[in-house]
Amino acid sequence: EPEVTQTPSHQVTQMGQEVILRCVPISNHLYFYWYRQILGQKVEFLVSFYNNEISEKSEIFDDQFSVERPDGSNFTLKIRSTKLEDSAMYFCASAFGSYNSPLHFGNGTRLTVT
Amino acid sequence: GENVEQHPSTLSVQEGDSAVIKCTYSDSASNYFPWYKQELGKGPQLIIDIRSNVGEKKDQRIAVTLNKTAKHFSLHITETQPEDSAVYFCAASRLSGAGSYQLTFGKGTKLSVIP
């Protein structure tokens, strides 16, 4: 069964550094998402992406965050200048269509900011 | 915005017994309610979902019920097995103008099935 794959599985970075989290969505999917989960808290929506542009973003997704689909397969989340509170599990997800298609999640990247 | 509350936070059942997890939501416009299972070290995996035009849906040992009036929905697992042990998340969403999922998740229920 096709999967959403994320790399790396664990990223450690120093405060103020830039990080790029990478995702390969399922190949025929058209909608892409990033969610995050701070340890012990809820999974939270960050951003959705369709047709090479952001379709929705949450309050969490401020100017420090950006997303990109640089080629036909990768979908990346960049955090420009990491803060301690960015430490979380980041999940990429994709869906074939919009409302009537189920969301498939990757296994996540654990980001630790020190 | 939407707020989803999930109970209980932990649940232990004997193998073969049933498990029930309950969620409430606040936004009456929400009309899609998926349930995810998350095993250690993995991402959430969709196990069942229900839309607001349906009151109940069943898939083998798993069923979900929805009460739109009361704004709550529940996951029922019958004949539980040790491999059902995981964290279960409920979520709610409504159709956005952009056609994307902005799922709001509950805090999760850690289910332990005791052999």
Side-chain angles (χ1 to χ4, degrees), chain A residues 31 33 35 37 40-45 48 55-57 91 95 97-103 105-108, chain B residues 3-5 31-32 36 38 41-46 51 89 93-96 98-103 105-107:
Chain A
Y31 289 79
Y33 304 81
Y35 283 76
Q37 184 179 30
Q41 298 188 25
K42 296 183 179 184
V43 177
E44 302 171 292
F45 170 79
S48 60
S55 46
E56 284 188 287
K57 59 183 181 179
F91 293 107
S98 60
Y99 186 66
N100 287 317
S101 299
L103 211 56
F105 283 83
N107 286 335
Chain B
N3 183 48
V4 175
E5 297 293 334
N31 50 13
Y32 175 63
Y36 288 87
Q38 187 177 26
K42 295 188 176 182
Q45 301 296 311
L46 179 71
R51 300 188 187 276
F89 292 96
S93 177
R94 61 180 173 84
L95 179 63
S96 72
S100 63
Y101 282 107
Q102 193 171 139
L103 292 175
F105 282 83
K107 285 196 78 170

Side-chain angles (χ1 to χ4, degrees), chain B residues 1 4 6 11 24 47 49 51 63 71 75 78 80 85 105 108 112 114:
Chain B
V4 175
Q6 182 172 348
L11 179 60
T24 60
I47 54 171
D49 57 12
R51 300 188 187 276
K71 295 207 280 287
L75 177 72
T78 58
T80 52
S85 296
F105 282 83
S112 300
I114 304 161

